[in-house]
Amino acid sequence: MFIDSHAHLFKKDYAADLDDVISRARDAGVDRIVNPGTDLETSREAIELAERYEIIYACVGYHPHEAARCEGRALEEIEALSHHEKVVGIGEIGLDYHYDFSPRDRQREVFSLQIDIARRRNLPIVIHTREAEEDSLGIVERKLTDPNRWRITPDGGGEGAPAPRGVFHCFPGDELMARKVNAWGFYISIPGPVTFASKPEKPNLMAEVAAKIPLDQILLETDSPYLTPVPFRGKRNEPSRLPLIARRIAELKGVPVEEVGRVTSESVRRLFGTGIAR
Ligand code: NI
């Protein structure tokens, strides 16, 4: 069994066939899906989906692309939504300097304010960072060292391990960055591009990182409808494709795919607390 730790199943892409998408996910052994919002509207939609489908859980938050549109009482509303019983985290939040759809100073501000919501609410965060790694890590590190307490989960991170605080989704970094955020209590999450071919002129960094980082620090995600794995590259993605990612990671690590499913599902449950039923 697998858990898709990050899929956006919104009307915009799935209005016509969401029931089929969900039943294909179940048939493929994907028995939980975490669906993050990207603004107030899609955060509300994520909750509606979580109410309608048992296997869906929601995160609420403003994506960096939408930071410029995060106005007025929007973040208060996000915090209010986070009390819903099927909301398991704040996300997706972060910085995106690749597209720069929102001014960078506003991106940083909205990211930081949402980490504060997560800390008040004792919820984990789902981080998006693209070409902004230095600033993203800087903001997270400052929050870790400021006097306000960050989330401590009831079951902690196991013997001597830090309590899990979040996940760097679609992990963009190298091994060094992965080990750094792991030590801070963050998982790295691996989507479809791990299945892409590695060429001498363009090595697959994500596959290299997935091979080197311990399995118990890795989550699986499809990031549907984006980042479709081989051999469906170019088509709309969906959670039923998650096992292709699990199989590639099993291959890279030389372990059975069942073990990849078991360990990564356990990590999702640990990260998102008791919100995700067994
Ligand atoms: Ni996403």
Side-chain angles (χ1 to χ4, degrees), residues 163-225:
R165 297 186 168 93
V167 54
F168 280 78
H169 119 85
C170 186
F171 187 70
D174 58 9
E175 185 191 353
L176 197 69
M177 175 177 161
R179 293 196 183 274
K180 185 172 189 171
V181 302
N182 287 163
W184 288 348
F186 287 85
Y187 293 97
I188 66 167
S189 170
I190 302 293
V194 74
T195 65
F196 297 175
S198 197
K199 297 174 192 139
E201 70 278 14
K202 203 183 171 212
N204 188 331
L205 178 66
M206 189 178 277
E208 284 172 26
V209 170
K212 286 179 185 152
I213 294 303
L215 184 56
D216 67 3
Q217 298 297 318
I218 294 174
L219 309 184
L220 309 178
E221 65 167 303
T222 59
D223 199 19
S224 297

Side-chain angles (χ1 to χ4, degrees), residues 6-8 36-38 63 92 126 128 169 221 223-224 226:
H6 193 116
H8 306 280
T38 56
H63 191 285
E92 70 182 87
V126 178
H128 168 110
H169 119 85
E221 65 167 303
D223 199 19
S224 297
Y226 315 110

